[in-house]
């Protein structure tokens, strides 16, 4: 390591109401918390973003997906290395993957 340089710690964000997500550096449990978490990291490189579709009760990840879509539409997509969708809801997960790929985010289905 060069003098004066610091190794950057990876930023791994998770939005999931139940899973522990042990690799995540920050976890949000609701869509509102997820939006706030992304906004807090707006100007940083996010190495990984883990998304669950169903967030308990009537809450879902779709407001977060809408934020990501809007940012890309405005020409300022979030700087995210890879988005992992780990939902047990197959149709919901497919919608997330399709929508985010449409906006050129790197996204794929994953298991935890």
């Amino acid at each position: 390591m060069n003098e004066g340089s610091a190794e950057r710690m990876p930023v791994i964000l998770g939005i999931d109401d139940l899973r522990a997500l042990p690799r995540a550096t920050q976890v949000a449990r609701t869509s509102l918390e997820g939006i706030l978490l992304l906004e807090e990291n707006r100007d940083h490189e996010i190495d990984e973003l883990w998304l669950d579709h169903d967030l308990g009760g009537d809450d879902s990840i779709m407001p977060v997906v809408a934020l990501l879509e809007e940012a890309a539409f405005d020409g300022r997509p979030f700087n995210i290395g890879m988005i992992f969708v780990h939902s047990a809801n197959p149709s919901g997960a497919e919608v997330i993957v399709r929508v985010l790929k449409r906006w050129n985010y790197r996204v794929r289905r994953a298991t935890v």
Side-chain angles (χ1 to χ4, degrees), residues 5-7 10 13 29 38 49 63 72 85-86 88 108-110 112:
S5 69
E7 189 173 329
L13 306 180
R29 299 296 182 189
L38 281 173
L49 175 62
V85 180
H86 61 268
R108 70 178 187 202
R109 291 284 311 267
V112 181

Side-chain angles (χ1 to χ4, degrees), residues 42-109:
R42 182 65 177 105
D43 297 321
H44 301 99
E45 180 180 349
I46 300 167
D47 296 284
E48 297 177 14
L49 175 62
W50 290 79
L51 302 178
D52 181 20
H53 183 276
D54 301 310
L55 299 175
D58 293 333
D59 197 11
S60 81
I61 201 67
M62 295 316 288
V64 174
V65 172
L67 173 70
L68 294 167
E69 281 184 284
E70 184 177 324
F73 177 80
D74 290 341
R76 289 192 63 230
F78 283 80
N79 183 6
I80 304 170
M82 180 61 75
I83 299 171
F84 295 96
V85 180
H86 61 268
S87 178
N89 177 333
S91 59
E94 186 55 38
V95 168
I96 297 166
V97 170
R98 188 173 52 247
V99 166
L100 294 179
K101 279 187 176 181
R102 156 61 180 95
W103 292 103
N104 297 317
Y105 287 104
R106 293 182 62 217
V107 58
R108 70 178 187 202
R109 291 284 311 267

